[in-house]
Amino acid sequence: MQTARAVPASTVVNLRDLGGIALGRHRRLRQGILLRSGQLSDFDAEHDMAVAALGIRTVVDLRTADERRWAPDRLPTGARLFVADVLGDNPGVTPARLKVLLGDPDGAASLLGGGKAEELFAQTYRVMVLSPGAAAAYRAFLDTVADPRARPLLFHCATGKDRTGWATALLLMMAGASRDVVRAEFLAVNRAVRAAFGPAVRRFLDEGGDPDIASAVIEARPRYLEAALDAMNERWGGLDGYLGKALRLPPAVAERLRADLAVPA
């Protein structure tokens, strides 16, 4: 099943071009206009010409204020930064603390041991759908994506799997992708994230960390996406209700996005 194309970047983790993903009715996502990744704190334009060549106009940062302060983005030349803080009103949730958790095996065991890791991450996905702050952030994200002048656009969180994963799922569902396609793209980031966090996970395990905790926090798992989709369906009856009632996205913006994102396959 077609998923996003990995862009060979040496200083940006998990960089993927969503173009080419299959949509309904013999259509696919337009190439070269929407990219996803992990944070850009290590981006080096001089040594990463593949990123510079993308012509990125806008970078949307989905991280919290603390994350941005600890690891500020380094923007591609000519790009502007737009902040859409998904977890700003829930700063203690686990995706925003992933690196801290992997650096503290005892703290991770206290917070996430005994099988709690997957449960807490699944609950965080519900927060990303149900909290007013997250809704405002994703509304701002979609408003920005819908502006042709903002594209090519790169959006990211810390690792490019959780907050970015739900943002990608939203875009794909709006563009008409099937549930199977949405799930495939959600899970396709795992190889890149495991590679990026390999050294941190090895240190975590060498210091006595629980391997079940490590895998639960660095992986995109089917249960996480299902938790978000279930929350959306339970509260708002599906995607249209979520867009209209939670995000308050004007129908005209949604229609413009759908028209712009899809091209004939």
Side-chain angles (χ1 to χ4, degrees):
M1 185 173 294
Q2 178 70 44
T3 58
R5 178 181 64 88
V7 178
S10 59
T11 62
V12 179
V13 172
N14 199 14
L15 179 60
R16 300 165 64 79
D17 182 349
L18 299 184
I21 293 179
L23 306 173
R25 299 179 183 177
H26 308 292
R27 296 169 74 79
R28 60 178 174 80
L29 209 65
R30 188 186 302 272
Q31 289 185 315
I33 63 168
L34 291 176
L35 300 104
R36 59 180 295 184
S37 75
Q39 64 195 35
L40 304 185
S41 55
D42 293 326
F43 172 55
D44 184 339
E46 183 177 346
H47 296 97
D48 219 339
M49 298 305 295
V51 178
L54 296 171
I56 294 167
R57 294 181 180 177
T58 307
V59 171
V60 179
D61 190 340
L62 304 173
R63 298 177 299 162
T64 65
D66 281 345
E67 290 175 291
R68 299 194 304 273
R69 183 168 60 252
W70 295 331
D73 277 349
R74 302 178 67 180
L75 299 179
T77 301
R80 71 181 182 98
L81 178 65
F82 184 86
V83 173
D85 183 348
V86 172
L87 298 176
D89 54 357
N90 294 276
V93 295
T94 43
R97 301 179 58 202
L98 197 154
K99 291 185 177 180
V100 173
L101 291 169
L102 288 178
D104 181 9
D106 291 338
S110 177
L111 180 65
L112 301 174
K116 289 186 291 186
E118 184 175 272
E119 180 63 30
L120 284 175
F121 260 77
Q123 288 300 318
T124 295
Y125 273 77
R126 291 184 63 87
V127 168
M128 289 195 293
V129 173
L130 299 176
S131 82
Y138 283 119
R139 158 69 190 273
F141 165 69
L142 292 177
D143 278 338
T144 305
V145 173
D147 182 355
R149 298 167 299 179
R151 304 190 295 249
L153 180 147
L154 169 65
F155 59 102
H156 74 87
C157 51
T159 61
K161 72 179 182 74
D162 298 307
R163 289 160 285 186
T164 300
W166 180 240
T168 303
L170 281 179
L171 290 172
L172 292 178
M173 289 187 291
M174 291 180 68
S178 70
R179 181 69 65 90
D180 287 343
V181 168
V182 172
R183 184 183 296 109
E185 173 58 24
F186 181 77
L187 299 175
V189 303
N190 276 325
R191 179 181 296 180
V193 175
R194 289 189 192 110
F197 277 92
V201 169
R202 284 191 290 272
R203 287 193 298 270
F204 178 80
L205 298 178
D206 288 345
E207 294 171 8
D210 184 340
D212 289 338
I213 292 176
S215 60
V217 302
I218 69 165
E219 291 176 357
R221 292 185 169 181
R223 184 184 175 193
Y224 301 159
L225 177 61
E226 292 305 318
L229 293 171
D230 287 348
M232 179 179 73
N233 293 333
E234 291 163 8
R235 179 70 64 86
W236 291 290
L239 178 65
D240 289 342
Y242 174 68
L243 294 176
K245 297 175 184 177
L247 272 56
R248 301 184 184 277
L249 190 72
V253 174
E255 288 306 313
R256 185 165 70 247
L257 253 177
R258 292 184 175 105
D260 284 356
L261 294 184
V263 295

